[in-house]
Amino acid sequence: MNDIYIYGASGHGKVVLDIALNLNLAIAGFVDRNPLLSKFEGYEVIKSVPSKANYIIAIGDNSIRQKIAQTSSGDLLPALIHKHAIIGGNVLLGQGTMVAAGAIINPSVIVKSNCIINTAAVIEHDCVIEDFVHISPNVTLCGSVIVGKGTHVGAGAVIIPGVKIGDWCTIGAGTVVIKDIPNGATVVGNPGRIIKSI
């Protein structure tokens, strides 16, 4: 693999850099459109991904991550997995997905492209996570949960077994989801209740 670029010179970029360095990957630099940035964490910052360069998107906002993936001319990396994550058997991880330290993904899980499985998240057996999802630190997805495209599950949330969460939802930090959630809903509380729908 050629040297890689990390798209996003901010806090999440530091997390992705840590994963890449733990895997002994060579870092070419960062990509960020902020005109004030020329260096980040000691690496050069450029404004766009060079054609055919290997890169991973290190931006927590799901809609921005989707836009970059659809418009960049580079080649997305395969999934980037911290060496202190635990990945069970028969797990499928899509391109551009990152798995942070302490995360546990148990058997027969599908995580599609450009997802974030953040620090110490637990994804139990037979879950399906669609493209551009962000699973925040310390989230627990119990068995057979489906998380729709573009959804953000906030830190410490718990989703009980068999629940289906729609596309582009926001699940608040600490929320306990006990029933299916429609597309575009914002859910908070214990038990989770919908406070906004798009």
Side-chain angles (χ1 to χ4, degrees), residues 122-193:
V122 176
I123 314 298
E124 281 297 343
H125 63 88
D126 300 298
C127 288
V128 176
I129 299 173
E130 298 291 344
D131 297 332
F132 305 106
V133 167
H134 186 161
I135 304 294
S136 296
N138 293 302
V139 166
T140 299
L141 301 185
C142 296
S144 302
V145 168
I146 298 173
V147 181
K149 180 179 179 179
T151 287
H152 185 161
V153 182
V158 176
I159 319 297
I160 69 163
V163 164
K164 181 177 181 180
I165 297 173
D167 297 342
W168 299 101
C169 292
T170 300
I171 309 301
T175 297
V176 178
V177 180
I178 63 171
K179 61 183 180 180
D180 291 356
I181 304 298
N183 293 343
T186 297
V187 182
V188 298
N190 179 7
R193 65 189 187 285

Side-chain angles (χ1 to χ4, degrees), residues 82-97:
H82 195 286
K83 66 182 180 181
H84 295 300
I86 298 172
I87 309 296
N90 199 29
V91 169
L92 300 177
L93 299 171
Q95 270 192 311
T97 285

